[in-house]
Amino acid sequence: MAKLPDAYIGKRLFVGEGRPIALGIGPAEIRGSTYMEGPVVMGNATAFPNVWATTMIAPVTNTDLLGPPLIPGTLCTGINNPYSLAVQGSSAFLGQIDTNLGINVGTNLIAQGEVASRCGLHVLSAKKNFDIPHPSKKNWRLRHTCPEAPSNDVYIRGKVKNKKHIQLPEYWKDFVYKDSITVSLTPIGAHQDIIVQRIDNDKIYLQAKTGIPIHCYYHVFAERKDGEKLIPEYEGYTPADYPGNNEEYSISGYHYDIKEK
């Protein structure tokens, strides 16, 4: 095999059979273009024991380098290097992309079609749920879905025994509208005529029949105030027509109740 210290190609380089029309023919030939039939290995050749693709790229092992290539990144996981491939500028893939590990995205992830996870078992635009093996029935499964409401609600629930108040989370005073708090009470063991006496920043005070200790379940809802109020109904065709601040919401999809026949 001939060894060249450096090679200069003034016009075009072809390796293998065939000359793609895309690189031009005759007067339309593109100077500086290259065609390689492949397979081509770049970087650490031992990373590919077999032919996996037309072009196989692995991290650099060239000893002429003073150290591993340093590529700046602003991803969630920080700076990741050395990379096998770095592309400055936009890239286009006209076929399917398979990755054996995760995908880190620095800004937005936009898809024209569905976004699916768990090998297609969960579709983002569908109703939000989880589906697991049934905890107590053999060969059964259990599916729950997230509650949906016309306001940005949060809730707490629990049980009160021998107390006259419900303790609210400390952060609720700055997190929810106080006048939006609603309370549902379910007596345990006997009728106690429990009522909500008053609500302050950190407690809901209860009152029952004289001499009867309070024993009940509670469910407390309130509307978040760290943003604008949700507008449940609005005129338009897509979520982009929402008349409020769309930056406050993560839209899981729209028209998910209409399925193709």
Side-chain angles (χ1 to χ4, degrees):
M1 178 183 295
K3 258 188 163 182
L4 295 175
D6 294 295
Y8 170 76
I9 307 297
K11 194 170 186 182
R12 298 196 294 175
L13 173 65
F14 292 97
V15 180
E17 296 293 332
R19 297 189 176 188
I21 296 176
L23 301 183
I25 297 176
E29 290 180 353
I30 301 173
R31 176 174 49 85
S33 60
T34 302
Y35 165 74
M36 292 188 179
E37 186 176 8
V40 177
V41 176
M42 306 175 73
N44 183 2
T46 61
F48 302 99
N50 298 295
V51 177
W52 291 0
T54 304
T55 303
M56 295 164 280
I57 304 176
V60 173
T61 57
N62 194 327
T63 56
D64 290 349
L65 296 175
L66 297 178
L70 178 65
I71 302 176
T74 56
L75 305 178
C76 299
T77 52
I79 298 175
N80 299 318
N81 58 76
Y83 289 102
S84 296
L85 174 66
V87 179
Q88 177 73 7
S90 300
S91 302
F93 296 89
L94 304 183
Q96 179 170 304
I97 299 175
D98 292 329
T99 175
N100 198 38
L101 299 174
I103 298 176
N104 294 323
V105 181
T107 55
N108 298 324
L109 179 63
I110 302 172
Q112 288 181 317
E114 295 286 3
V115 177
S117 64
R118 300 191 64 80
C119 295
L121 293 177
H122 175 72
V123 178
L124 185 60
S125 68
K127 294 180 176 64
K128 301 173 289 293
N129 58 53
F130 72 86
D131 192 307
I132 61 174
H134 200 286
S136 55
K137 291 183 178 181
K138 187 178 180 180
N139 298 327
W140 283 61
R141 296 189 66 82
L142 177 67
R143 175 173 296 193
H144 281 188
T145 191
C146 295
E148 298 177 357
S151 57
N152 298 315
D153 290 342
V154 292
Y155 75 88
I156 60 170
R157 62 183 178 86
K159 181 168 61 174
V160 172
K161 186 173 184 180
N162 299 329
K163 292 182 180 180
K164 294 183 178 181
H165 70 271
I166 298 170
Q167 184 70 46
L168 295 174
E170 181 181 357
Y171 58 84
W172 264 37
K173 64 181 183 298
D174 301 314
F175 189 48
V176 305
Y177 294 108
K178 180 181 175 182
D179 60 0
S180 73
I181 294 176
T182 59
V183 186
S184 296
L185 302 171
T186 304
I188 300 174
H191 295 291
Q192 301 158 46
D193 290 341
I194 309 170
I195 64 169
V196 174
Q197 193 175 36
R198 62 186 176 87
I199 300 174
D200 65 18
N201 285 333
D202 61 351
K203 289 185 179 68
I204 297 174
Y205 293 91
L206 307 177
Q207 179 179 304
K209 280 185 176 181
T210 303
I212 298 180
I214 295 176
H215 190 196
C216 69
Y217 299 111
Y218 65 83
H219 211 151
V220 182
F221 280 90
E223 183 181 0
R224 291 171 56 173
K225 65 179 181 181
D226 58 331
E228 66 180 20
K229 284 181 172 290
L230 178 68
I231 304 171
E233 297 179 283
Y234 59 92
E235 185 177 1
Y237 296 96
T238 74
D241 298 318
Y242 183 70
N245 182 8
N246 248 337
E247 294 183 358
E248 293 189 5
Y249 300 95
S250 176
I251 307 299
S252 66
Y254 59 95
H255 298 332
Y256 58 66
D257 54 336
I258 300 176
K259 305 298 181 184
E260 294 183 0
K261 302 295 184 183

